[in-house]
Amino acid sequence: EAMTAEALACRLALDQPGRGELVERQVALMLKKLPEWDPSGRTNDMYYWFHGTRALNRLGAERSLGPWRAAMHRAALDSQRSARGDHAAGSWDPLDPWGPIGGRVYATALMCLSLET
């Protein structure tokens, strides 16, 4: 899913057509796997969520963007650290395949960028 979302985001950033069978298949694949926070981290993929958000936002298809945006907001807001006095308050735990490499900064940056987009 991550590479599909990234490919679509790149295609659209390069002003390639945002329609056709390939684009429809890419969007359909992404809509089958909407962002959903898993506290165990097994199914989280912040890299995918970021590129998926970018791609669907650029595509501007509200029928696709609406469900994605709702799922992304739910995943992000449900998982943000909020305990007062916690040094990590306001950040996200790096619970995805790249979390051990990128750490809390990676996780927080991608989640903030996804929400901002």
Side-chain angles (χ1 to χ4, degrees):
E1 293 89 9
M3 294 296 98
T4 296
E6 185 176 15
L8 180 57
C10 288
R11 174 189 185 101
L12 297 169
L14 294 169
D15 291 327
Q16 296 295 313
R19 59 190 181 288
E21 183 184 342
L22 176 61
V23 171
E24 291 300 319
R25 287 184 14 223
Q26 289 172 311
V27 170
L29 176 72
M30 291 167 49
L31 291 178
K32 284 183 187 176
K33 187 158 187 211
L34 295 172
E36 184 177 351
W37 185 261
D38 176 6
S40 72
R42 284 177 280 165
T43 60
N44 300 337
D45 191 343
M46 295 175 225
Y47 185 80
Y48 163 53
W49 299 347
F50 166 66
H51 286 292
T53 301
R54 264 183 59 221
L56 292 174
N57 190 55
R58 256 188 189 269
L59 197 56
E62 193 55 42
R63 65 180 172 77
S64 305
L65 188 57
W68 180 276
R69 183 180 288 147
M72 184 67 231
H73 281 215
R74 203 169 33 255
L77 299 178
D78 289 350
S79 59
Q80 187 177 22
R81 297 282 294 264
S82 61
R84 286 191 171 180
D86 180 0
H87 74 283
S91 69
W92 282 266
D93 294 329
L95 299 173
D96 82 344
W98 303 106
I101 297 166
R104 185 168 301 283
V105 172
Y106 149 83
T108 302
L110 284 182
M111 294 300 271
C112 284
L113 287 169
S114 294
L115 288 171
E116 185 267 337
T117 300

